Amino acid sequence: MARHGEALTLPGSRTREIVVPMISLVPLAFATVVFVWPLGVLVARAFDDSDGATLTELWDRTHAWRLLAVTGAQAAGSALAAVIVAAPIVWLLATVRLPGAGLLRAIVTVPFVLPTVVVGVAFRTLFDGPLAFAHIGDGWAAIIAAHTFLNVAVVVRVVSAAWQRVDPREVAAARVLGASAPRAFVDVVLPRLVPAIVSAFALVLLFCSTSFGVIVILGGGEASTLETEIYLQGIGYGKLPDAVALSMMQIVLVLAALGLARLVGSTRVPPAGSAADLRPPRGLRWLPVAAVLAWIGGWLVLPVATLVIASLRPGGRWGLAGYRALADTTYGPSAYSSLGYSVGSGLFAAVIAVAVGLLTATALTRGGGIVSKIGAGLSVLPLGVSAVTLGFGYVLALSTMPYEVSASPMVVPCVQALIAIPVIVGVMVPALEQVPAGLRDAAAVLGAGPLRVFWTVDLRLTARSLAAAAGFAFVMAIGEFGATTFLARADTTTLPVLIGSLMGRPGADNLAAAMAASVVLVAVSAAVVALVEAVSSPRPRRKDTAC
C-alpha cells in the first residue's frame, strides 16, 4: 500500500518512461538517414555549384513567382473541383444505407491510390476517345479533371466522417421546431462540416501542388508548374541552384497548405463513421440515389473503363496485343518482371512503413516528448517535399557511397516507405488514442511488461486499423513514381516507371503495352483497396436473442 500523500506507481511505469523515448529514436534515425541526408546533400551541392546568386535572384531568373501563381491556381482549382464533385457522394455515403456500400467505398478510394502516370494514361485515352468531341485534349482543363478524379476520395473520407459524427437528434429537433430539411441542413449540419471541408480542400491543394506525372502526360509540353520546372532545371539543364531555389519555394507553399489543414482540422485519416443512422432509400428517394450513382460512374468509373476498353482495342481492333507485349524484353525487363519487382518492393516498403509509422504513433500517443515530435514532424514532411527533389537528392547522395550501398535492393523500398509512413501515422494515432488507458494499467498491474501490454492490448484493439494502414501503404508504395524514377535500374524498374518509359516511346505497340500495364496496376490496386475496405468496415452487431 502506498502511504498517504505518496503517488501510486504502477508496475512497469518506470520502464515505460524509458522505453518510449527509446522507440522515438527509431523513427527519428530512419527519417534522418532516408529523408534529411539526401536533401542535405542536394542543398550542399547546390551551394557548391552556385555562381554567387542570391535566393531572390535565383527566383527571378527562373520566373519562380509566375510558377508559384500558376501552381497555386491549378491546385486551388483542382481542390475546388474535387469538393464540388465529392459533395453528392458525401451525401450518399453519409446518409443512405445501400447494399454493397463497401464496394462503393472501394470504387471511390481506388483513384486516390493509383499512380499518377496511370491516371494520366487513362485521361489521355478518355479525351482522345469517348470525350474527343469536347476538344479538351491536353492542357489545364485535362489536368484539373485528372486531379479531381485522383482526390475525390480525400474529400469524401474526411467530410463524410464529419457528417456521420453529427448528432441526428439535433437535426430532428430543428425539424420539430419547424425548419425544413434544407434549413435544418444549413443551420445544423453545414456548420459542423465546414472545418472538414476546408481541411479536405487544403489536403487536395497540397497533393495537387506537388503533382508531376499528370502534368507531364496531360500538359501537352506547355503546362509548367514548380514541380515540372524543378525537374527541368535540375535534370534538363543541370542547374542545381535553380532547382533547389524552386524547391524551397514549393516547400513554403506546401507547408502553408499543411498549416491550413492543421488549423481548421486534422490531417489524419478519419475512422469510419457509424452506420447506425443511415436510412435505406425508399420510393422517390431512389431518384437522387440513382443520380449520384450515375455521377460516380461518370467521374470515377468511366476513365478506368475507357482505359480497360482501349487496352483491348489497340489500333481500333479488338485483341490482346497490348497484354502480349507485357512479356516483351526487347528494351529490358518485361512488364511482368517489373510487376513482380513492384509487388516485392511494395511489400518490403509496407513492412518498413508499418514498423516506423507504428513506433512513431506509439511514441506520440504515449507522450514521447520532443524526440517523438521531431520524428513525427520529419515523417510528415515528405508529403510536402517534391518527389523530384527527393529523387534527385538520392542520386547525388548515393553517388558518394560504395557500390554495395548504392546498388542495394533496399534503396527503392526505403524511399517508397518514406512516402507511406505519413499514412500509417495518420491512421494509427487516432486508433491508439481510443485504446482505454485503464486496460493498459490493468495489464501492468497483473504483471505484464511494456512490450506485453503493447502486444496484448494496443495491437489487439487496433489490429483492423493497422491492417488497413498496411494495405494503403502497400498500394502507395507500388504506385510511387516521382522519386523511384531516379533510382530505377534494369533490375529495379517498377511498373509505374516502366509505364512512363513506354509512354515516352513512339509507336502504337508501346502505347498499347502502356495501357495494358496500367490496367494490370489498376487491378492490383483495386484488389488491395477492396480487401482494406472489407477489413476496416465495421461489422454489424448481432442482436441478442432470447433463450
Side-chain angles (χ1 to χ4, degrees), residues 460-493:
R460 184 176 181 181
L461 295 180
T462 61
R464 290 169 63 191
S465 296
L466 184 60
F472 279 120
F474 172 74
V475 292
M476 292 185 70
I478 64 173
E480 206 286 321
F481 175 70
T484 309
T485 304
F486 291 82
L487 303 173
R489 302 190 312 272
D491 58 338
T492 60
T493 300

Side-chain angles (χ1 to χ4, degrees), residues 209-543:
S209 64
T210 58
S211 177
F212 180 67
V214 166
I215 295 176
V216 168
I217 293 177
L218 297 177
E222 297 181 359
S224 181
T225 63
L226 284 171
E227 184 83 348
T228 59
E229 192 66 19
I230 291 170
Y231 182 87
L232 181 63
Q233 294 292 336
I235 301 300
Y237 301 151
K239 297 180 178 179
L240 284 182
D242 301 63
V244 171
L246 291 173
S247 296
M248 290 179 180
M249 177 171 284
Q250 185 187 48
I251 290 174
V252 172
L253 173 63
V254 169
L255 289 178
L258 273 175
L260 177 61
R262 292 284 184 182
L263 181 65
V264 299
S266 175
T267 58
R268 300 169 184 166
V269 177
S274 171
D277 300 312
L278 303 183
R279 294 181 296 171
R282 294 187 179 91
L284 294 178
R285 189 175 170 84
W286 272 108
L287 293 178
V289 169
V292 175
L293 291 176
W295 180 259
I296 294 173
W299 273 101
L300 304 181
V301 178
L302 180 61
V304 176
T306 303
L307 176 63
V308 173
I309 294 173
S311 71
L312 296 172
R313 296 187 69 233
R317 300 178 62 182
W318 293 97
L320 298 175
Y323 292 89
R324 285 195 292 268
L326 297 181
D328 184 22
T329 58
T330 303
Y331 296 98
S334 68
Y336 291 125
S337 175
S338 294
L339 175 61
Y341 176 77
S342 294
V343 172
S345 66
L347 289 173
F348 272 117
V351 170
I352 296 170
V354 167
V356 177
L358 184 58
L359 290 176
T360 303
T362 302
L364 285 173
T365 55
R366 297 290 188 90
I370 187 64
V371 176
S372 66
K373 288 181 172 57
I374 294 175
L378 290 177
S379 71
V380 175
L381 274 181
L383 287 175
V385 175
S386 162
V388 171
T389 300
L390 187 61
F392 202 11
Y394 266 101
V395 171
L396 295 176
L398 292 175
S399 66
T400 64
M401 303 298 294
Y403 177 79
E404 291 76 9
V405 176
S406 61
S408 171
M410 290 303 297
V411 171
V412 171
C414 284
V415 176
Q416 293 172 333
L418 189 67
I419 307 300
I421 286 173
V423 175
I424 304 292
V425 176
V427 172
M428 292 309 298
V429 165
L432 289 172
E433 284 177 343
Q434 305 220 352
V435 175
L439 291 181
R440 299 190 185 109
D441 294 337
V445 168
L446 293 174
L451 292 179
R452 181 71 179 273
V453 171
F454 182 71
W455 180 264
T456 58
V457 178
D458 294 85
L459 284 186
R460 184 176 181 181
L461 295 180
T462 61
R464 290 169 63 191
S465 296
L466 184 60
F472 279 120
F474 172 74
V475 292
M476 292 185 70
I478 64 173
E480 206 286 321
F481 175 70
T484 309
T485 304
F486 291 82
L487 303 173
R489 302 190 312 272
D491 58 338
T492 60
T493 300
T494 62
L495 197 55
V497 173
L498 181 62
I499 293 171
S501 176
L502 289 171
M503 288 293 296
R505 299 172 189 168
D509 292 341
N510 288 320
L511 178 60
M515 291 189 293
S518 299
V519 171
V520 171
L521 202 50
V522 168
V524 173
S525 302
V528 175
V529 170
L531 182 61
V532 167
E533 289 294 342
V535 170
S536 60
S537 297
R539 298 175 182 174
R541 296 180 179 179
R542 295 181 179 178
K543 295 182 179 180

Side-chain angles (χ1 to χ4, degrees), residues 166 170-171 174 178-192:
V166 175
E170 297 182 12
V171 179
S180 62
R183 178 67 181 274
F185 172 79
V186 171
D187 290 347
V188 178
V189 179
L190 187 58
R192 290 162 174 79

